[in-house]
Amino acid sequence: MKHIYIIIGVALLLFASCTQQQQAKSVAKDFVAAHISDDADYLEFSDLDSTRAISDSLVQVLRQQGPKGANYQERASKTLYLLRAKYLLDDDTCSTTFYMNADMTGVVAVKNN
């Protein structure tokens, strides 16, 4: 009987992580379409990860180096989620890291790799 509860628990965790990954991809694609180009062809996405190592001053620097006029979300907590995306723009391969707020509703900063 305990094994059934463990299997159900693992299945729920896997489902939740897949949902977060899909939500993060959607937020990143929306940001690219709105502020970089709506003609991007996506090659791959990294696994969703989290970091607490990004300071507020680094977020400000990344925002200044990012797309001008971008609508960035405010940072609500110390933890940021990051997702790397590789995509094609006019035959150029681009790689961008997206730093998202904890509820993954918007981009806090971007870094062009």
Side-chain angles (χ1 to χ4, degrees), residues 13 31 36 45 67 89 96 98 103:
L13 286 173
F31 188 88
I36 299 172
F45 288 93
L89 281 180
T96 303
F98 298 91
D103 57 358

Side-chain angles (χ1 to χ4, degrees), residues 12-58:
L12 289 173
L13 286 173
L14 286 173
F15 177 72
S17 67
C18 290
T19 302
Q20 286 180 327
Q21 181 80 16
Q22 291 302 321
Q23 183 177 3
K25 284 181 185 180
S26 176
V27 169
K29 287 179 180 181
D30 290 346
F31 188 88
V32 169
H35 303 294
I36 299 172
S37 173
D38 57 357
D39 294 332
D41 291 322
Y42 295 93
L43 300 174
E44 67 182 22
F45 288 93
S46 69
D47 289 335
L48 187 64
D49 200 0
S50 64
T51 183
R52 296 177 61 101
I54 306 296
S55 66
D56 290 336
S57 59
L58 182 55

Side-chain angles (χ1 to χ4, degrees), residues 45-81:
F45 288 93
S46 69
D47 289 335
L48 187 64
D49 200 0
S50 64
T51 183
R52 296 177 61 101
I54 306 296
S55 66
D56 290 336
S57 59
L58 182 55
V59 167
Q60 292 303 321
V61 169
L62 291 173
R63 286 179 177 179
Q64 290 172 355
Q65 294 174 352
K68 302 299 180 220
N71 296 327
Y72 293 109
Q73 296 289 316
E74 289 303 315
R75 183 178 188 165
S77 69
K78 190 78 172 155
T79 301
L80 294 176
Y81 286 92

